[in-house]
Amino acid sequence: MSLRHLIVVTLWACTPLAEASVVTIDAGQLAGQSLAKVDRFLGVPYAAPPVGLLRWRAPQPVRPWDGLRSAQTAGSACAQIGNYYTSFDETAFDKPYGSEDCLYLNVWAPRPLRGGRPVLVFFHGGSGIAGTASYPIYDGERLAEALDAVVVTANYRLGVLGSLQSRALHTGQPAEDSGSYFLLDMIAVLDWTRRNCAAFGCDPDNLTLAGQSAGAVAVLGLLRSPLAKGSFARAISFSGIPFSASAQTGQQRTAKLLGELLRQRADDAPSVDDWLTAQPPQAQRDFLLNRSTTELLQASGIGLPPAFVADGHVLMALDEDEADEPAPQVVSEVPLLIGRTDDEMSTLAGFKNLGASADARWPLVNGEPRDATIHQTLGLVQRWQRRVRIGLGDWLVGRKLRQFERAYAAQLPAVYVYRFAWDDYPEPWRSDFGTLHGLDLPFVFGNFIDDQKSYMRFAWTPQNEAARQRLHEEITSSLRHFVHTGQPSPAASDSWPPWGQHEYVRTWDQ
């Protein structure tokens, strides 16, 4: 062991891990942790903190540091209203949570460190208003080992801090003027990974871009981003559907935020139109920059989802013709693995009658004992409304996704489609949720958290443990082939043909 490693071990002797791993990236040296078969680096900055005058700016370069920087603690979640998609700490629910200083990522690199491994970059879900790369389900240790690939998870700005279309914030730079800061953050993560990939033993030209839910929507958006072209070799969308918005939609969303901010300051606040007319652009900009994080979060309610504004610079348009057949303007022509769970809407549309707060829903989703299903606790009208919302929502999602799968198959080298259908867990949760949105993620990452209160804890039992492990191995075997070769099986044309003439769909289930 070198003198440098002896010094590092001494510095971190108080940690439960015996040895630290040191790498050198473009900004300086990092000291991570050596786990059983993987080196882990947490809380690595990929951009300067977007605070002060850098709020609502494109991500700026990290300032290099001297000496050894600890990479053993995850960075803060991006500012949001606390919820169970971000933390299992119920004391944090339904109040401002996280920080604007949040542009950090995490890396898991298999040992021994050797060049040429592929790298998977994963963006979390949460409707674009919630979530964090350090969410326990996204711990990348088991996934990196299973894929024999470097795994990167990254934060990106959320809600109105990640997406705001206001002429007062324009700088003359087309990327910044798009207001799509969250997409620029993601592009910065891809650029950081390509620049620093070799330090972790991976090939920058063998990068797979992946995401779930809002992260998957962003992945499908980055397929249409000229700024992301050449940054990744393939893509994975877990439960994503492409979206596109006009500049007018983005401005309406900004007007809604401004109206709430003005009402925070005075009951007799002027209308947004009158205020915009009366205030010069510099005054509007100062007003927005001087608002605290808490004021912005409170004005957003539980959050304003980002607007995927097709500005033609960061994001190309998503057109639909008269036949309602989507025509995404794909820029990055790479293999795509895309799919969804069987019952996406059981939690997305099925909570309307149960209260909007995370605190109210927490007993339901972490698995506290109960006998009755949700339907049995509702009145007749509410029960009917819930069934209609879920059924109609699942039908629309399935129809729309099938259209996009067909449209992408016409433009990309290969499109592989999956469905996730596992629901082998106890009642009454099984009847309530089925194969709910996000249930596939623990099977991807291999993290079935059952030793504490946690989201989806109700699904993990001793009786289904062996089956869960088998399905995790099946899924990660497909993912391993995909990130290494661009095909999700050794002979994809036989066992998993791409979507096209036969419209083949692979099902992952029990």
Side-chain angles (χ1 to χ4, degrees):
M1 183 180 291
S2 68
L3 176 60
R4 183 180 71 178
H5 276 82
L6 284 172
I7 293 172
V8 171
V9 171
T10 302
L11 287 173
W12 274 273
C14 59
T15 72
L17 298 169
E19 186 176 355
S21 177
V22 176
V23 297
T24 300
I25 61 173
D26 56 2
Q29 285 191 314
L30 292 171
Q33 293 175 318
S34 293
L35 307 178
K37 297 182 180 180
V38 171
D39 288 341
R40 179 179 68 188
F41 302 85
L42 303 179
V44 181
Y46 69 84
V51 299
L53 294 177
L54 295 185
R55 178 193 278 175
W56 295 308
R57 293 286 309 277
Q60 302 297 306
V62 173
R63 178 178 297 177
W65 56 83
D66 295 323
L68 201 59
R69 179 187 177 106
S70 174
Q72 301 195 15
T73 305
S76 172
C78 287
Q80 60 193 278
I81 300 298
N83 58 87
Y84 48 77
Y85 297 117
T86 302
S87 170
F88 300 150
D89 178 8
E90 54 197 298
T91 66
F93 293 169
D94 304 316
K95 61 188 72 170
Y97 181 83
S99 169
E100 291 190 55
D101 178 5
C102 65
L103 299 186
Y104 299 92
L105 54 77
N106 310 305
V107 182
W108 290 264
R111 287 201 311 275
L113 198 81
R114 58 173 174 78
R117 281 191 174 97
V119 55
L120 174 77
V121 176
F122 175 85
F123 292 116
H124 66 79
S127 300
I129 59 175
T132 180
S134 58
Y135 192 50
I137 289 174
Y138 307 143
D139 185 292
E141 181 181 1
R142 291 194 67 191
L143 183 60
E145 182 182 348
L147 301 186
D148 190 29
V150 175
V151 171
V152 177
T153 65
N155 287 344
Y156 53 92
R157 281 172 282 184
L158 301 170
V160 297
L161 291 162
S163 173
L164 196 68
Q165 285 67 39
S166 170
R167 295 184 181 90
L169 298 173
H170 284 187
T171 64
Q173 300 295 321
E176 287 190 319
D177 293 353
S178 73
S180 297
Y181 311 106
F182 72 108
L183 287 176
L184 297 177
D185 291 345
M186 293 177 174
I187 293 169
V189 171
L190 297 177
D191 292 342
W192 182 96
T193 303
R194 289 177 57 81
R195 290 196 315 272
N196 293 289
C197 205
F200 304 97
C202 56
D203 177 1
D205 294 323
N206 196 2
L207 187 155
T208 296
L209 173 61
Q212 187 266 344
S213 193
V217 176
V219 166
L220 297 174
L222 291 171
L223 285 171
R224 295 156 35 217
S225 174
L227 299 185
K229 185 175 183 179
S231 295
F232 54 98
R234 54 195 63 92
I236 303 174
S237 168
F238 298 105
S239 298
I241 293 180
F243 285 107
S244 187
S246 65
Q248 182 180 9
T249 298
Q251 290 163 8
Q252 291 171 345
R253 178 177 169 278
T254 301
K256 182 177 180 180
L257 173 70
L258 283 171
E260 293 300 321
L261 289 172
L262 292 171
R263 280 188 284 275
Q264 282 180 352
R265 300 176 64 81
D267 293 335
D268 58 348
S271 70
V272 172
D273 287 342
D274 289 344
W275 186 84
L276 290 174
T277 300
Q279 301 295 323
Q282 184 61 45
Q284 296 175 33
R285 180 175 181 272
D286 291 344
F287 175 78
L288 286 167
L289 290 176
N290 289 330
R291 302 284 65 78
S292 70
T293 308
T294 297
E295 286 177 299
L296 292 170
L297 292 174
Q298 290 175 339
S300 302
I302 62 171
L304 286 173
F308 283 80
V309 174
D311 64 307
H313 186 81
V314 177
L315 188 66
M316 301 301 290
L318 180 68
D319 297 326
E320 297 188 25
D321 63 22
E322 294 180 0
D324 198 29
E325 287 292 331
Q329 297 185 25
V330 172
V331 175
S332 294
E333 296 181 0
V334 301
L336 172 66
L337 176 63
I338 184 171
R340 62 180 176 88
T341 67
D342 261 6
D343 302 291
E344 295 279 9
M345 305 307 291
S346 64
T347 52
L348 297 180
F351 281 168
K352 297 292 186 181
N353 304 115
L354 307 174
S357 72
D359 190 59
R361 296 176 179 179
W362 183 234
L364 199 66
V365 300
N366 80 55
E368 295 186 18
R370 61 191 179 93
D371 297 321
T373 66
I374 293 175
H375 281 300
Q376 290 168 338
T377 66
L378 299 176
L380 181 62
V381 173
Q382 291 179 323
R383 190 181 307 168
W384 178 82
Q385 291 173 335
R386 184 172 185 271
R387 288 190 186 278
V388 169
R389 277 196 301 267
I390 293 174
L392 181 60
D394 277 330
W395 180 81
L396 289 173
V397 165
R399 177 177 179 272
K400 184 64 68 175
L401 190 56
R402 185 178 176 86
Q403 289 176 344
F404 278 111
E405 289 162 356
R406 187 181 297 112
Y408 278 120
Q411 300 182 63
L412 300 179
V415 173
Y416 301 96
V417 179
Y418 78 88
R419 297 289 182 263
F420 183 76
W422 184 89
D423 64 355
D424 183 20
Y425 61 89
E427 296 289 1
W429 298 276
R430 182 175 181 174
S431 291
D432 283 336
F433 303 136
T435 310
L436 65 144
H437 182 70
L439 186 63
D440 48 346
L441 287 177
F443 291 85
V444 170
F445 283 87
N447 300 319
F448 304 100
I449 301 170
D450 60 3
D451 59 352
Q452 61 176 307
K453 288 184 177 181
S454 57
Y455 183 43
M456 296 187 289
R457 181 180 58 160
F458 53 78
W460 321 133
T461 69
Q463 291 74 25
N464 63 32
E465 183 175 6
R468 282 188 274 125
Q469 181 59 32
R470 286 195 299 271
L471 186 53
H472 163 65
E473 291 171 358
E474 177 187 341
I475 291 173
T476 53
S477 175
S478 296
L479 296 179
R480 177 171 177 153
H481 286 297
F482 187 74
V483 302
H484 281 261
T485 70
Q487 296 180 337
S489 63
S493 60
D494 297 326
S495 60
W496 193 336
W499 180 272
Q501 181 178 359
H502 302 292
E503 298 187 348
Y504 185 85
V505 180
R506 177 72 172 268
T507 300
W508 286 322
D509 61 16
Q510 55 264 31

